[in-house]
Structures are given as C-alpha cells and as structure tokens.
Amino acid sequence: MAQSLSPALARRVALAAQGFGRPPTGAVAGVRQLGALIDRLGLLQIDSVNVFERSHYLPVFARLGSYDKAQLDRVTYSPRITEYWAHEASFIPVDTLPLLRWRQQQFRERAEADSGSWLSANRPMTAWLLAELSAKGPMRASEIEHESNTRSGSWWGWSDVKRGLETLFAQGDVVTAGRTRFERVYALPEQVLPAAVREVHVPRDEAMRRLVSISARAHGVGTADDLADYFRLKAVDALPAIHQLEDSGELLPVAIDGWAKPAWLHRDARLPRRMDATALLSPFDPVVWARARALRLFDVHYRIEIYTPEPKRVFGYYVLPVLIDVWVVGWLDLKNVRSARILRVRASWSEAGAPAETAARIVPLLHQTMNWQGLDAIEVSQKGNLAAALAAELAA
C-alpha cells in the first residue's frame, strides 16, 4: 500500500531534494561545493539569454548565495563536466554521458535513414569538419569558419559550419572542450574524454534505470511524468525503469492528496519539517521548468515570455519566479544594465495570497543580487502590483 504524503510535505521534500533549506555556512562556495551541487542536481540547463544573467549561473546562486562565477566556470569547463542534450542543452557530469549514448545513436539513425536529411546532403562537409578537428585540435565554429575563408576549393559559411558541428555533436562524433566567451569549443572525443568514458557500454535499459534514478534523487518526489521529463525520456522507457527501482526499494510509491497521478518518493529524500528559503529562480531551474509540476506543487501558472510578442506579455520579458519558503510568491523581470552598473527591476508582481512581508523579504535578496553581479544601484520601475511596495521598502 502506498504511503501517504501531504501536499505541504511534498513541497518541502521537492525543495530539499533540490538543495534548498540548508542552513547557510557563511562561507563563499568554492569549487568543491559547486561540483557537489551539480552532482546533486544532475545537470545545469544552458541558455544563451543574457539580459540579466545566463541561466546556468542562477540555480547555483539560488541555492548557495553569492559566489564567484569564475569558480563555476572552472567546474563546468573542467574534465569532470561535459555538455549534451540532457533536459535541454545542459552541463552534466562526464560520467552521465555514456547513459545518453542511446540518444546519440538515435540522432544518427534518424539522419542516416532519411535520404533527404541535412546530414545525407552534406557528408563531404562533415568529413571535412572531422578532419579539421583531427589536424588542428579543439576549435570554435567561428575559428573553423575563419579558417575556411583561406582555403581553396569548397567553402562553407558559418551557418553551415555551425550546423555541421551541432549535427556531429548530437551524434557524439564530436564533444565539447569547454567554452570561450560562451561559444562552445568542439573536439573529437579522444581529444578530451577519458577512455573510461569513451569505451564504456551501458545497455539501454540500464541507462534508463540510472537516468531515472538521478532524476528521482533530484526530485525527491514526483510522478512518472516528472521523473521522465528531467532527461526528456519517453514514458515507454521511463515506466519500466521506475518499476525496477520500486522493486529494488530505491523508489517508494506514495499517494499525495490533490495529485491525480501516482507518485514515487526516493528512499534517501529528506522530509524536512520546515523550509526557510528566499531565492530567485531561473526560468530554466528544475524547480519550475516543468510547468505542470510547478502548478501541482505551488499552484502557479508560469511561462517564460521571451517568445511572446511584447503587447501580449503579462509579467515581462525575462521573468524570474521568487521563492519564499515553500511558495512561489511573485515574479521579477530583471535587467542587468551593465553600462550603468544598475540592477533594474522592470516589473514586479506578487501572487494572490502572497505574505504581507513579501517586499521586505525580496529587498535583501535584491541587494545580494546587486552585489553578486558587481553593480552599484537598484532601480524599480512602476510596472506590476508589487512595484510600489518594493520601491517603498528599498527607500526605507
């Protein structure tokens, strides 16, 4: 019989599994703490939008407070971390890469089976790209495009070079060798990956089981859809893995009031009695990236409005959810005005039922954010139902 969990406990379990609620140590997180957090989360999703801050830096700030971004770069560009299509494009521990070999093979088989695919039409180019990397070592797409301008004979533009490299990256024929000014550096696997990673073979069913295990540990508690979505697995693959982990005792079936579907609790999940947290969440933070799960956990409808035409936006361009304790209580549209060294709150909103101290809890977080970003001032625009209270609290 399934154990019963209250919705409130499920929220605390989910947040605790994601690294929230631990008492602050007072020390600035270093390489070891940053690496441990990536291991806990299983991945950091990457996104190029930089109107406030690149997304992969934000989950770390939300959980560990102010830290040196250069230290996170040391970790994410180190041999123990690589990149691949996990949830989306993500930094992952290098040991996770063999668990996604089936996905690389899937990309390859689909392209090769389609005579009209881009790969089928551009085999000479992909062969040339592999030869360039073999001869010259790891390179960025822009470097290869620059090199091609000086070649005699066939020439391919940057978009072709980039698409070719991304196709080879998806198939596992090339991998990342870090980034330079956020531009991915491509390499042949033997140039950067240890033999233990390149040569290990993980059967597909075992890979699914281990991916679901990572997902379940990072969720604390979740439905089958939740556990599958973390690595973008299909239900047909995730469900057998869930049941195998249930049979082994790693996952415990639970019933949660208000959750329409069965759920599972990881056996090592913490069950905290309370949760103290004040954090800005990236739109690509695992806590909120699955909109159905965010609605179930926090009773909030959330969608990022980057791709919404401006007249139709409700909250703003780059809206960050605000977590206070166990609830998403509001939304901040932030912009880092680097030229003027200003953190601009372009819009601020509170959810219905947000606690009266919401603005008072957010202002210290804004100051911490300003200092972390190396800025000098905070400006609050008048847009949003929280703007007046936030401006008054800042003035006070």
Side-chain angles (χ1 to χ4, degrees):
M1 183 176 179
Q3 176 185 354
S4 179
L5 260 65
S6 70
L9 179 56
R11 273 191 298 276
R12 296 196 299 272
V13 168
L15 290 169
Q18 279 287 308
F20 289 97
R22 294 185 179 275
T25 63
V28 176
V31 167
R32 190 175 72 173
Q33 292 83 3
L34 298 172
L37 180 61
I38 296 176
D39 290 339
R40 167 185 285 275
L41 299 182
L43 54 82
L44 287 177
Q45 186 174 332
I46 304 167
D47 190 81
S48 61
V49 176
N50 196 25
V51 64
F52 164 57
E53 181 55 271
R54 296 197 191 278
S55 66
H56 68 282
Y57 292 114
L58 293 174
V60 180
F61 177 61
R63 291 155 177 79
L64 300 180
S66 299
Y67 70 97
D68 184 353
K69 292 187 294 180
Q71 294 288 76
L72 184 61
D73 292 342
R74 283 184 59 195
V75 176
T76 53
Y77 302 152
S78 72
R80 69 181 297 267
I81 300 293
T82 189
E83 296 179 35
Y84 192 61
W85 295 100
H87 182 76
E88 294 291 340
S90 305
F91 291 113
I92 57 173
V94 70
D95 292 340
T96 303
L97 190 60
L99 307 183
L100 295 165
R101 202 87 74 201
W102 59 270
R103 180 166 287 163
Q104 295 174 338
Q105 186 63 26
Q106 194 174 70
F107 278 122
R108 182 192 308 279
E109 290 174 353
R110 286 176 180 172
E112 291 182 346
D114 180 4
S115 60
S117 70
W118 186 91
L119 178 66
S120 296
N122 290 274
R123 291 190 185 279
M125 178 189 174
T126 53
W128 174 74
L129 288 170
L130 292 171
E132 285 287 285
L133 292 174
S134 178
K136 299 175 181 176
M139 298 176 73
R140 292 169 287 147
S142 58
E143 293 176 297
I144 296 176
E145 192 276 335
H146 176 76
E147 289 288 331
S148 71
N149 278 325
T150 63
R151 296 174 68 244
S152 59
S154 300
W155 176 86
W156 295 282
W158 187 88
S159 60
D160 297 316
V161 167
K162 180 67 173 177
R163 186 165 184 178
L165 288 168
E166 283 298 302
T167 298
L168 294 169
F169 175 75
Q171 296 176 177
D173 295 315
V174 304
V175 296
T176 181
R179 287 178 178 246
T180 301
R181 294 184 294 277
F182 204 64
E183 185 182 356
R184 184 179 285 147
V185 179
Y186 298 89
L188 300 180
E190 58 268 25
Q191 292 170 336
V192 294
L193 294 181
V197 172
R198 297 196 315 270
E199 297 170 4
V200 66
H201 171 70
V202 182
R204 184 185 173 102
D205 60 342
E206 181 185 343
M208 294 297 171
R209 186 168 60 251
R210 288 167 62 181
L211 289 171
V212 170
S213 175
I214 295 168
S215 172
R217 189 178 297 273
H219 275 93
V221 63
T223 65
D225 289 341
D226 296 336
L227 303 187
D229 180 66
Y230 211 71
F231 285 99
R232 296 291 203 226
L233 307 180
K234 293 182 178 180
V236 69
D237 293 317
L239 274 172
I242 289 170
H243 292 310
Q244 290 167 16
L245 292 170
E246 181 181 344
D247 291 342
S248 72
E250 184 173 344
L251 295 186
L252 310 174
V254 292
I256 302 171
D257 188 31
W259 288 32
K261 296 182 178 181
W264 286 265
L265 175 75
H266 195 275
R267 67 184 173 198
D268 297 330
R270 289 194 299 128
L271 279 65
R273 294 180 178 273
R274 57 176 296 168
M275 175 65 58
D276 294 317
T278 307
L280 293 171
L281 302 179
S282 161
F284 309 107
D285 191 298
V287 171
V288 292
W289 70 25
R291 307 317 187 207
R293 179 173 170 86
L295 177 61
R296 197 183 329 120
L297 280 173
F298 306 114
D299 194 27
V300 294
H301 293 269
Y302 174 50
R303 71 173 183 178
I304 187 170
E305 296 182 324
I306 291 174
Y307 310 110
T308 303
E310 186 171 0
K312 296 184 178 181
R313 290 178 192 146
V314 177
F315 295 120
Y317 177 78
Y318 194 72
V319 178
L320 280 71
V322 180
L323 176 73
I324 293 183
D325 298 335
V326 295
W327 293 107
V328 173
V329 301
W331 319 91
L332 299 181
D333 183 15
L334 297 184
K335 180 178 177 62
N336 186 333
V337 187
R338 295 170 178 85
S339 58
R341 301 177 66 84
I342 291 171
L343 177 63
R344 181 167 294 150
V345 185
R346 300 191 292 188
S348 48
W349 306 83
S350 62
E351 282 287 300
E357 69 272 14
T358 295
R361 294 279 295 270
I362 290 175
V363 165
L365 178 60
L366 287 176
H367 280 290
Q368 183 187 28
T369 304
M370 176 191 73
N371 292 330
W372 175 55
Q373 290 286 296
L375 305 175
D376 297 329
I378 301 169
E379 288 184 357
V380 177
S381 302
Q382 296 179 2
K383 184 177 180 179
N385 64 1
L386 186 61
L390 210 55
E393 192 68 34
L394 273 169

